[in-house]
Amino acid sequence: MTGNAVLPQSRPLPVRTEVAIVGAGPTGLALAVTLAGAGVDFVLLDRQGEGANTSRAAVVHARTLEVLDELDPAGALSAELIGRGVPVSRFRIRDGVRPLAEIPFDGLRTAHPYALMVPQYETEAVLLQRLRALGGDVHRPYEVTEVAQDADGSGVTLTTATGETLHASYAVGADGGHSTVREAAGIGFTGSAYEESFVLADVAMDWAPGPGEVSLTFGAAGLTVVAPLPGKHYRIVATVADAPAEPDLAFVQRLLDERAPGQATVTALAWSSRFRIHHRVADRYRAGRLLLAGDAAHVHSPAGGQGMNTGIQDGYALGRALATGQLDAYEARRRPVALRVVALTDRMTRVATTRNPALRAVRNAVLPVLARVPALRDRLATELAELDYR
């Protein structure tokens, strides 16, 4: 919601359910679709009005597309999303304008050997469409302010900002890095913050490398990622020591002129934001009948575009665990994945943003050599695509 405005509720809140899901982003939607397909009763709550989200994530990796195929074996779910995006078959690393390494995705052992560039709102729209086809929907805007496990341990009571209550056998926090459910569960969120701020912008521009690759550029000023989006737009993610709250077109152009000179002419700015990133993992994914998934359980650098993908896979794994009564396996399976993703993205960020001239020289000399080793190149492509997490 915006400010303290109170928006009318689109659907009345039930009194009871088996699973209450707090947060209808990609993680919560994936969980709801999984439960709906398995016939498990749930209520999916979100504090925002429909269409009020902003576009953060912009890549759907191969393993996530496989999950969509598992959620809809007919293939319509993944096909719909693919039709809205731009498949990209390579990831190229540069130092300024100098190419250092290329990571190809077209050799991946999957039905989806590419990275799909598509705005997060499209991913959410496709998941919501599938949810509604299965008879489910989102209850919004309902902001959950209190979550308490019942004294007898038989369930959970959730209270909204308007004083309504919902009783559930389980409650899942898919409500982001500042999770109300995680706080109520008393689960620690171990890690720290990056010193730099991150700039995110969607632009129309003439970009010399073109729309056939995702470009990750190293430089003394910081990390810069440029990725194609539908409609001849590009997503820019960059570390900046002190970025303005709403970077304008001139700021984005100066940033690209400094980091990729002669490569970009920005013609329009569709949307921009500044944000700060932590790298943290929840100490546990479960406390009694309270469970965590997605950003409520792990946050990390946007390097590699892992966040939303890991969250959708969390939602699917948790939905299957709830449907089959195998909850003990959920944390054992998914928390090690989060630790691995956080470690990978942290290494990528620190390698990309080092300002030590000696380390930069070693990095720039070693990367081209390593990238010519097929086994290492394929290993990194598989890791980025999250195919090791099947």
Side-chain angles (χ1 to χ4, degrees):
M1 293 191 293
T2 303
N4 295 317
V6 177
L7 302 177
Q9 274 72 37
S10 57
R11 303 181 72 205
L13 192 65
V15 175
R16 293 187 179 277
T17 190
E18 180 66 17
V19 182
I21 308 168
V22 183
T27 300
L29 286 166
L31 171 56
V33 170
T34 307
L35 293 176
V40 177
D41 187 56
F42 67 90
V43 172
L44 176 58
L45 304 164
D46 198 89
R47 65 184 182 86
Q48 293 182 318
E50 188 165 354
N53 62 320
T54 55
S55 179
R56 292 283 188 183
V59 59
V60 177
H61 283 302
R63 174 53 192 156
T64 303
L65 290 169
E66 290 181 346
V67 165
L68 298 188
D69 287 337
E70 291 169 24
L71 288 171
D72 180 11
L77 184 57
S78 63
E80 176 69 23
L81 188 58
I82 293 164
R84 300 186 185 206
V86 178
V88 176
S89 61
R90 67 180 181 270
F91 181 85
R92 195 184 297 276
I93 302 172
R94 291 182 169 84
D95 181 60
V97 297
R98 174 193 170 197
L100 296 177
E102 179 180 318
I103 310 300
F105 294 123
D106 51 8
L108 292 171
R109 297 180 179 179
T110 173
H112 305 286
Y114 47 82
L116 182 69
M117 304 309 304
V118 61
Q120 179 176 324
Y121 64 79
E122 296 283 17
T123 302
E124 292 183 7
V126 169
L127 285 168
L128 180 58
Q129 179 178 297
R130 176 61 177 168
L131 179 61
R132 287 172 172 165
L134 292 169
D137 210 335
V138 184
H139 294 261
R140 62 169 89 236
Y142 286 97
E143 182 175 6
V144 174
T145 56
E146 295 180 26
V147 181
Q149 300 201 56
D150 297 346
D152 60 1
S154 62
V156 181
T157 300
L158 298 85
T159 305
T160 72
T162 53
E164 295 168 274
T165 58
L166 170 66
H167 301 281
S169 298
Y170 297 95
V172 178
D175 50 344
H178 300 285
S179 172
T180 298
V181 176
R182 190 186 64 241
E183 183 177 341
I187 296 175
F189 205 31
T190 301
S192 60
Y194 290 103
E195 294 181 3
E196 302 93 347
S197 60
F198 284 77
V199 166
L200 186 153
D202 288 353
V203 304
M205 69 176 178
D206 296 322
W207 173 241
E213 66 175 50
V214 175
S215 302
L216 188 154
T217 301
F218 298 156
L223 165 72
T224 308
V225 177
V226 179
L229 287 176
K232 298 182 179 179
H233 280 70
Y234 289 87
R235 163 64 55 84
I236 297 168
V237 182
T239 57
V240 180
D242 189 18
E246 296 183 3
D248 60 13
L249 187 152
F251 179 90
V252 175
Q253 183 67 66
R254 287 195 303 272
L255 184 149
L256 293 171
D257 287 344
E258 178 185 40
R259 303 184 182 194
Q263 301 291 291
T265 301
V266 182
T267 56
L269 176 68
W271 180 77
S272 69
S273 180
R274 175 195 67 192
F275 58 102
R276 292 193 177 273
I277 291 292
H278 294 237
H279 48 109
R280 299 181 184 275
V281 178
D283 296 343
R284 294 174 289 152
Y285 277 24
R286 180 183 182 185
R289 292 179 176 268
L290 303 179
L291 299 126
L292 304 177
D295 286 357
H298 45 79
V299 293
H300 43 79
S301 164
Q306 306 295 293
M308 182 183 71
N309 291 272
T310 308
I312 289 173
Q313 294 166 43
D314 283 349
Y316 175 64
L318 178 53
R320 296 305 307 155
L322 284 161
T324 59
Q326 298 179 333
L327 270 181
D328 289 342
Y330 169 64
E331 178 178 330
R333 178 181 177 188
R334 294 303 302 173
R335 191 169 181 273
V337 170
L339 291 169
R340 187 165 162 178
V341 167
V342 169
L344 171 66
T345 57
D346 185 56
R347 284 196 302 271
M348 291 176 66
T349 301
R350 296 191 186 281
V351 166
T353 58
T354 180
R355 289 177 169 82
N356 183 306
L359 292 177
R360 289 174 56 205
V362 171
R363 175 196 68 194
N364 292 354
V366 169
L367 263 178
V369 176
L370 295 179
R372 287 194 290 269
V373 179
L376 294 177
R377 190 175 60 231
D378 294 347
R379 179 66 182 163
L380 181 55
T382 301
E383 189 83 7
L384 288 170
E386 301 200 351
L387 291 172
D388 286 335
Y389 310 147
R390 288 181 171 122

